[in-house]
Amino acid sequence: MRAQSSATTATTIAVSTRTADPAAPADRRSGTLQAALGVTAFSLTFPATAWGLEGFGPWSLVAVRSVLAAVVAGGCLLAVGVPPRERGRAWGRIPVPDRRHWAGLAVVAAGVVLGFPLLTTLALRTSTTAHAAVVVGLLPLTTALLSALRIGNRPSRTFWTAALAGAAAVVAFTVQQSGGALTAADLYLFAALLVCAAGYTEGGRLARVMPGWQVIGWALVLCLPLSVPAAAIALSHEPVRLTAHSVAGLLWVAAGSQFLGLVVWYRGMAAIGVPRASQLQLAQPLLTLVWSVLLLGEHLTVAAPLTAAAVLVCIAVTQRARG
């Protein structure tokens, strides 16, 4: 999971998410791999957030992670070169996005940079990572639905059947793990589901016209006027206890989840399409549960391997289905 070069070819960037059918098999394989790397990075977000909450308050954790991620993204925007003909309108050495793209970047910022991290962090104060994983189980279907409305994607019936089956399997598993009780944390989780799906959809659309890493990079920079004062206020009001876990959790959600994971995720969506990429996220709750066992000491039931097998079948079907 490394930040990708701005030398992404025009063919990869401009692949249409309307059909989600790349021009070459190599593009599709590369896009699938990058989206899968993004899902792997995202699967560590909830355990890392739980670690971060051991030493930071929820508002401090979210604000500081946004600032740190923006510093990384801003450094990349400054360091990576652009063609000489574009340097006249560059911020540092990267061309500033056209004005028509700023509304979309604002949606990405509101959904992915601010909304989802804040809402899920607030939920994880009282919810386990297993219970929080239900929002990730529903995210692929919600993203595909918003994509159909926003971009005009029309996946096939086979695609929708497999997507619904996979989502149902993940929801049944995660709800069973959490006992099926609806709490105040669920309100945060369902709200996070909606704003994140909107951010993914808009980010996938923008990744057709600019490199995916620049999409999240500009979204993070756009949030700096809010995240810097928010971090200062939150740190002055919430206690901070620096431990190995809290620092490691903060660094991962800032660099891994907030920037590098989104870099490969948006590039993957640009290559294989929003609906297909979103279905790879069906595996994310199960990966999160694995990390929860390894990192947090949580326990899984025998339903885990059965659900994993069902999800993998659904992913295979959605990847082969034609829109």
Side-chain angles (χ1 to χ4, degrees):
M1 293 174 288
R2 297 292 188 268
Q4 302 295 323
S5 168
S6 66
T8 305
T9 63
T11 300
T12 302
I13 297 172
V15 170
S16 173
T17 58
R18 181 180 299 276
T19 61
D21 192 12
D27 292 334
R28 180 172 180 174
R29 288 193 296 269
S30 175
T32 300
L33 175 60
Q34 290 181 87
L37 288 174
V39 168
T40 303
F42 301 152
S43 70
L44 280 160
T45 300
F46 287 168
T49 300
W51 273 7
L53 286 172
E54 293 179 10
F56 295 90
W59 295 90
S60 298
L61 181 61
V62 172
V64 172
R65 73 181 270 185
S66 179
V67 171
L68 292 178
V71 170
V72 175
C76 292
L77 289 170
L78 286 170
V80 176
V82 295
R85 66 180 182 276
E86 296 181 339
R87 289 176 185 167
R89 61 186 186 90
W91 181 79
R93 299 169 67 189
I94 291 294
V96 175
D98 292 337
R99 184 175 299 178
R100 60 193 173 92
H101 297 317
W102 282 102
L105 288 171
V107 173
V108 175
V112 177
V113 177
L114 298 177
F116 186 80
L118 177 60
L119 292 166
T120 54
T121 299
L122 292 173
L124 284 171
R125 292 181 304 168
T126 57
S127 173
T128 65
T129 57
H131 188 79
V134 70
V135 70
V136 181
L138 292 174
L139 188 55
L141 181 58
T142 307
T143 302
L145 287 171
L146 290 183
S147 175
L149 295 174
R150 178 67 178 89
I151 305 176
N153 289 304
R154 293 295 183 268
S156 65
R157 290 184 179 180
T158 301
F159 179 97
W160 285 117
T161 300
L164 288 170
V170 170
V171 169
F173 175 67
T174 51
V175 169
Q176 185 272 334
Q177 289 287 295
S178 63
L182 294 177
T183 65
D186 291 312
L187 298 178
Y188 290 126
L189 293 173
F190 285 122
L193 168 70
L194 294 176
V195 298
C196 188
Y200 280 171
T201 299
E202 202 64 22
R205 185 186 67 82
L206 290 173
R208 296 168 57 185
V209 296
M210 68 177 73
W213 73 272
Q214 290 185 26
V215 173
I216 185 58
W218 284 112
L220 285 164
V221 170
L222 184 66
C223 288
L224 275 175
L226 293 176
S227 58
V228 170
I233 294 172
L235 288 172
S236 66
H237 287 80
E238 293 180 334
V240 175
R241 185 169 61 91
L242 298 181
T243 65
H245 276 184
S246 63
V247 172
L250 171 63
L251 292 178
W252 178 258
V253 294
S257 302
Q258 194 83 70
F259 182 63
L260 298 181
L262 286 166
V263 166
V264 291
W265 173 243
Y266 281 138
R267 289 190 66 178
M269 282 200 295
I272 65 176
V274 174
R276 283 202 183 101
S278 69
Q279 299 316 302
L280 292 174
Q281 283 193 306
L282 287 169
Q284 186 173 326
L286 303 177
L287 288 173
T288 297
L289 291 173
V290 171
W291 298 127
S292 298
V293 171
L294 297 177
L295 301 177
L296 303 177
E298 296 185 2
H299 299 282
L300 299 181
T301 67
V302 293
L306 297 177
T307 307
V311 167
L312 290 176
V313 170
C314 292
I315 291 174
V317 172
T318 57
Q319 290 295 300
R320 291 179 179 275
R322 299 296 179 184

